[in-house]
Amino acid sequence: MKKQILSKVFLAALVAFSMTACDDDDDDDKLPAIEIADNTLDAIVTNYVDAVVLPTYKDLAEKNAALYDAVVKLKETPSDAAFETACDAWMNARQPWESSEAFLFGPVDELGLDPNMDSWPLDQEAIEKILSSGNFAELNWGEGDDSVAVEAAQSVRGFHTLEYLLFKDGKPRTTNDEDYKKSAESWGNYMLNVATLLKNDAQSLYDAWNKSYDNGDAYATTFKSHNNSTYSSAINCIEEIFDGCADIASEVGTSKIKDPYDLYKSGKTEEGLYAVESWYSWHSRDDYSNNIRSIRNSYFGSLDGTIANNSLAKAVAEKDAEADKKLKDAITAAIDAIQAIPQPFRSNIVCAESEAAMEACNNLESVLNELKGRIVR
């Protein structure tokens, strides 16, 4: 009896020791915090807004204005050359949009500007009906509209509706295109209506960040000051930056590539094809690569691939060079893997390269979340 009691005491002590040992192991495995001073964090946030967000949105507004001008000329004087010019303008306007997707927070989200400009897949049947009816009021939605009405409007406007109207099989349409010839006047009016909405939405987005938002300060001021109900500290802003980057890394890997991959592999080949973003222009890989570059720009604090003095990259590298290299390598690996998918993606949805790209994007998301958890003030 005594021996049994002693054995229980010994066993309890052994379990307690084992749990303590496991806790010690967990502590050993946990990566150390990366402490960054408040004044450095403040400078990083300011540079992020001034050198990344604002110039990207300014470029978006300017290039959508140029796209509008090209569409006006195409409508007024249709020609094959005018189609080519408008397609080039669409490509140019697409680049800053895709390079902004690491910061889809604030006005772009709250005003519905992301789905306004970039809804996918399209409702191609509804587009055909609008072309036939000429009722372009269906492209608009109002503040009081329910979610069904809003979604219906957003699925027949934006970049991809204009892409459908401008491109066919990866090339500019021509004035001899059968679809265009059936209703050239309505086709031109539709393009103009969509280009107008894109121009207005892009300008509204830039103005919300640069001038005034919701009848108050510019969103840039709100973010940079971070002494308000939206952002109470620089750390809040840094977390927002990391969350935006992780979200788009996840979206590229698990939605933009994986959704069509899964559909196609399951035998739903037509659904898989229509799930591919930007397949009319064969621009998918560049879209996805620019999404990852938006992460690079956010981390580097610049738009040209250089590392700004007041950037997360510089601050992290000074504290933990290995962590900095790990993220930089993950960014490069994701871009390289996406570009390795045979062109066009719509014709090569299920392949080893697509699988590698999904894996690289998922790894990038993990690295971003890991680093976010380590940064403290």
Side-chain angles (χ1 to χ4, degrees):
M1 192 73 180
K2 209 172 195 179
K3 281 185 180 181
Q4 194 175 12
I5 293 172
L6 286 172
S7 296
K8 288 180 179 178
V9 171
F10 175 76
L11 184 59
L14 182 61
V15 170
F17 174 78
S18 299
M19 290 176 67
T20 303
C22 288
D23 288 343
D24 288 344
D25 288 343
D26 289 343
D27 289 340
D28 289 342
D29 291 339
K30 189 175 180 180
L31 293 168
I34 297 174
E35 293 188 32
I36 302 177
D38 279 343
N39 62 332
T40 301
L41 292 174
D42 289 340
I44 290 171
V45 171
T46 296
N47 179 75
Y48 168 77
V49 171
D50 292 344
V52 178
V53 178
L54 288 178
T56 298
Y57 283 151
K58 183 175 185 289
D59 192 32
L60 180 70
E62 292 173 347
K63 286 181 176 174
N64 273 280
L67 173 58
Y68 168 82
D69 290 342
V71 169
V72 168
K73 291 178 181 178
L74 172 57
K75 178 186 178 300
E76 291 179 347
T77 312
S79 68
D80 293 353
F83 261 114
E84 290 180 11
T85 299
C87 285
D88 288 343
W90 185 92
M91 293 281 197
N92 289 337
R94 190 80 182 140
Q95 187 274 330
W97 171 257
E98 292 302 307
S99 298
S100 76
E101 292 208 23
F103 34 96
L104 290 179
F105 57 83
V108 69
D109 174 44
E110 294 161 13
L111 297 177
L113 296 175
D114 177 14
N116 269 7
M117 300 178 74
D118 200 35
S119 283
W120 186 265
L122 301 176
D123 186 340
Q124 194 164 324
E125 184 177 342
I127 290 172
E128 296 294 339
K129 287 180 180 178
I130 292 170
L131 279 168
S132 297
S133 69
N135 182 13
F136 301 111
E138 294 184 32
L139 279 60
N140 296 290
W141 58 274
E143 191 172 332
D145 289 344
D146 61 28
S147 59
V148 175
V150 172
E151 187 174 340
Q154 290 170 332
S155 65
V156 292
R157 59 187 280 177
F159 276 117
H160 296 300
T161 297
L162 189 54
E163 177 193 12
Y164 168 73
L165 296 169
L166 288 173
F167 291 88
K168 188 173 184 178
D169 296 331
K171 298 177 181 178
R173 290 185 186 266
T174 68
T175 52
N176 285 322
D177 177 78
E178 290 300 322
D179 295 327
Y180 172 75
K181 283 168 64 176
K182 281 188 297 186
S183 53
E185 183 177 356
S186 183
W187 201 279
N189 287 332
Y190 201 159
M191 289 190 292
L192 182 60
N193 273 271
V194 175
T196 301
L197 291 167
L198 279 168
K199 175 185 174 183
N200 292 343
D201 284 342
Q203 189 62 52
S204 294
L205 180 52
Y206 179 54
D207 289 346
W209 271 86
N210 190 52
K211 293 182 179 179
S212 176
Y213 178 60
D214 199 22
N215 297 316
D217 290 334
Y219 204 82
T221 302
T222 299
F223 199 78
K224 288 192 289 186
S225 62
H226 48 75
N227 59 358
N228 47 72
S229 59
T230 306
Y231 301 102
S232 60
S233 68
I235 280 290
N236 290 156
C237 297
I238 298 299
E239 289 171 347
E240 184 82 277
I241 294 169
F242 271 106
D243 286 343
C245 291
D247 285 348
I248 192 57
S250 174
E251 184 179 339
V252 174
T254 64
S255 177
K256 294 190 176 189
I257 300 176
K258 191 173 188 298
D259 281 354
Y261 177 94
D262 286 346
L263 286 166
Y264 207 92
K265 196 168 185 180
S266 69
K268 298 178 180 178
T269 54
E270 185 172 347
E271 293 94 327
L273 174 63
Y274 279 100
V276 174
E277 188 177 19
S278 297
W279 71 265
Y280 301 112
S281 61
W282 293 8
H283 202 250
S284 309
R285 296 187 316 174
D286 289 338
D287 273 4
Y288 309 158
S289 297
N290 283 329
N291 288 161
I292 305 303
R293 290 188 184 97
S294 72
I295 298 172
R296 181 203 67 185
N297 295 349
S298 298
Y299 185 61
F300 285 16
S302 73
L303 300 182
D304 61 1
T306 61
I307 297 170
N309 284 330
N310 295 318
S311 66
L312 278 166
K314 187 170 187 295
V316 171
E318 289 175 351
K319 299 288 184 175
D320 190 330
E322 186 176 342
D324 171 65
K325 184 178 185 301
K326 185 176 182 181
L327 180 50
K328 288 175 180 173
D329 287 349
I331 292 170
T332 299
I335 294 172
D336 289 348
I338 291 165
Q339 287 295 317
I341 300 172
Q343 175 76 341
F345 176 51
R346 58 159 286 180
S347 301
N348 298 279
I349 296 171
V350 176
C351 62
E353 290 85 354
S354 293
E355 294 167 1
M358 287 186 276
E359 184 177 347
C361 290
N362 293 338
N363 177 64
L364 175 56
E365 180 190 6
S366 297
V367 173
L368 284 161
N369 284 329
E370 178 186 89
L371 185 55
K372 171 196 168 185
R374 295 181 62 195
I375 294 178
V376 298
R377 51 194 287 197

